[in-house]
């Protein structure tokens, strides 16, 4: 069994990005700039935004955060999006989710200019990904593709089963694994809570991507000998073996599945570290206008 080391691969990609930033600045070009909008005081959201700005600093990007109170009106939030849309110094914009209930997520995401939508959530980017046009691919699926590619895993002609059909992981993953390029060209099956006899489907997978949000759901009897297993799930559970009193686990029962898999991602240290790196890769593409070359962002 080979461990897919997301932490190591993420560090390599960060190094590549940092060198590219140096190359740009040596040529007198500006540093890529990522802006984040954060609404309210949710501690997890604050942690995510802080780690995104720390990652920006590590690779030499500029970053800025716009912190708005929990009771901000939808109109004010949309005005902030518009302000950033029109700031030519800023290349990429993310709005940290979840938003308070009085705000319509879709309206806010659709207000971001697709050219700056480095989270890849705007319907224009989702649609462009689906029809194979250059697009910002959302962070988690993009990170998984990089893990697969950089681990030398072939996907062409393989049976790929995806557990979960969320808009941020399962669905885009299915589109990417079935596209006509490598990584891709797989025969994809997507499973959800209404799938009958799940085990009979998952046990035929050469590549099994698990994003169902249930701790330790996938057991060894659901997995084919020699399968590649990508565990997207992340759960904090109590533990008397750690100082903090908790530990992180995934959607897959790691030890028993690892004994059967050819490659597997650990939790933590697998898919997780790749997510922020994907956002950095998208922001770099935005600053170089790689996805929408003909469009002036102003
Ligand atoms: P989600 O929106 O909750 O979607 C879960 C999917 O799993 C749904 O499609 C659901 O089916 C399906 N499902 C639930 N129970 C099932 C069952 N018993 N059998 C078959 N399918 C079942 O989850 P998500 O946002 O994709 O996230 C999944 C996990 O990944 C979570 O643990 C999340 O924390 C983690 N995550 C990690 C990262 C990272 O960077 N590492 C990023 C994103 C998410 P229905 O559609 O029928 O309800």
């Amino acid at each position: 069994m080979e461990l897919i080391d997301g932490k190591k691969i993420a560090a390599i990609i960060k190094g590549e990005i940092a060198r590219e930033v140096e190359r740009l600045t040596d040529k007198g070009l500006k540093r890529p700039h990522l802006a984040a909008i954060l609404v309210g005081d949710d501690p997890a959201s604050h942690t995510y935004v802080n780690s995104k700005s720390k990652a920006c600093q590590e690779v030499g990007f500029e970053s800025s955060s716009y912190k708005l109170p929990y009771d901000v009106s939808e109109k004010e939030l949309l005005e902030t999006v518009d302000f950033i849309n029109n700031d030519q110094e800023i290349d990429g914009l993310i709005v940290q989710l979840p938003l308070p209930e009085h705000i319509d997520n879709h309206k806010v995401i659709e207000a971001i200019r697709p050219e700056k939508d480095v989270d890849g959530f705007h319907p224009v980017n989702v649609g462009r990904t689906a029809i194979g046009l250059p697009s910002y691919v959302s962070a988690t699926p993009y990170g998984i593709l990089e893990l697969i590619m950089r681990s030398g895993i072939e996907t062409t002609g393989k049976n790929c089963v995806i557990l979960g059909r969320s808009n941020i992981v399962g669905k885009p993953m299915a589109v990417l694994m079935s596209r006509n390029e490598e990584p891709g060209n797989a025969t994809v099956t997507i499973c959800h809570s209404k799938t009958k006899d799940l085990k009979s489907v998952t046990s035929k997978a050469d590549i099994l991507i698990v994003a169902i949000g249930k701790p330790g759901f996938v057991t060894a009897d659901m997995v084919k000998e020699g399968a590649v297993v990508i565990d997207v799930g992340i759960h904090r559970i109590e533990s008397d073996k750690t100082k903090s009193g908790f530990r992180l686990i995934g959607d897959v029962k790691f030890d028993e599945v690892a004994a059967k898999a050819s490659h597997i991602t650990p939790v933590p240290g697998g898919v997780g570290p790749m997510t922020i790196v994907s956002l950095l890769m998208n922001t770099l593409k935005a600053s170089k206008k790689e996805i929408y070359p003909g469009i002036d962002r102003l």
Side-chain angles (χ1 to χ4, degrees):
M1 183 277 296
E2 205 174 299
L3 203 64
I4 301 177
D5 189 342
K7 222 169 147 185
K8 188 168 147 197
I9 295 173
I12 292 170
I13 299 176
K14 272 191 191 166
E16 292 168 3
I17 297 173
R19 283 193 291 282
E20 181 62 8
V21 173
E22 251 180 66
R23 203 185 60 81
L24 293 175
T25 51
D26 283 352
K27 276 171 51 185
L29 297 167
K30 76 173 205 55
R31 292 175 184 279
H33 187 156
L34 174 67
I37 299 180
L38 179 59
V39 179
D41 294 320
D42 176 47
S45 295
H46 273 265
T47 307
Y48 291 138
V49 169
N50 286 342
S51 32
K52 285 167 190 172
S53 57
K54 192 170 151 253
C56 282
Q57 219 177 356
E58 279 169 23
V59 296
F61 286 8
E62 299 282 350
S63 72
S64 37
S65 354
Y66 293 75
K67 293 181 178 146
L68 303 173
Y70 185 83
D71 59 359
V72 67
S73 69
E74 190 177 274
K75 183 169 172 282
E76 278 172 274
L77 175 53
L78 290 171
E79 280 166 6
T80 308
V81 170
D82 198 44
F83 175 77
I84 299 171
N85 273 341
N86 290 306
D87 183 338
Q88 62 175 326
E89 288 303 311
I90 295 176
D91 303 296
L93 164 61
I94 56 166
V95 177
Q96 185 63 45
L97 300 176
L99 291 171
E101 271 181 19
H102 65 276
I103 292 173
D104 180 347
N105 275 4
H106 295 292
K107 217 169 171 179
V108 174
I109 287 165
E110 284 188 54
I112 300 171
R113 293 185 72 143
E115 306 87 67
K116 291 196 179 188
D117 167 44
V118 286
D119 253 341
F121 292 157
H122 192 290
V124 166
N125 280 310
V126 175
R128 287 174 67 99
T129 304
I131 60 173
L133 286 176
S135 61
Y136 296 114
V137 174
S138 59
T140 305
Y142 188 8
I144 293 171
L145 276 193
E146 286 289 321
L147 284 181
I148 288 175
M149 199 172 67
R150 289 175 186 251
S151 305
I153 294 162
E154 274 185 32
T155 59
T156 297
K158 297 287 161 66
N159 272 334
C160 174
V161 174
I162 298 167
L163 276 192
R165 57 175 165 187
S166 71
N167 287 336
I168 61 164
V169 188
K171 270 189 223 154
M173 209 61 242
V175 165
L176 294 164
M177 291 302 281
S178 57
R179 67 190 178 159
N180 188 6
E181 63 184 277
E182 181 80 34
N185 277 321
T187 305
V188 176
T189 308
I190 183 156
C191 300
H192 45 75
S193 64
K194 312 291 185 301
T195 300
K196 290 209 171 97
D197 194 6
L198 199 60
K199 191 170 135 183
S200 74
V201 184
T202 58
S203 55
K204 290 190 186 75
D206 302 309
I207 301 170
L208 180 62
I209 301 175
V210 189
I212 69 166
K214 290 196 168 17
F217 181 88
V218 172
T219 47
D221 58 333
M222 297 169 75
V223 178
K224 180 172 146 179
E225 196 72 47
V228 173
V229 180
I230 308 285
D231 188 354
V232 185
I234 182 147
H235 311 275
R236 200 172 124 130
I237 59 156
E238 283 185 10
S239 167
D240 52 16
K241 291 194 183 92
T242 61
K243 239 201 228 162
S244 61
F246 72 85
R247 67 188 176 100
L248 296 177
I249 63 163
D251 285 346
V252 174
K253 277 221 168 83
F254 183 83
D255 290 340
E256 60 179 68
V257 173
K260 262 180 122 176
S262 66
H263 298 75
I264 187 166
T265 57
V267 177
V271 173
M274 293 300 292
T275 302
I276 289 183
V277 161
S278 306
L279 187 65
L280 297 176
M281 290 192 286
N282 276 344
T283 305
L284 182 62
K285 286 180 182 173
S287 90
K288 292 164 79 179
K289 299 195 170 115
E290 275 181 16
I291 306 293
Y292 296 94
I295 297 179
D296 188 346
R297 283 198 308 260
L298 277 183

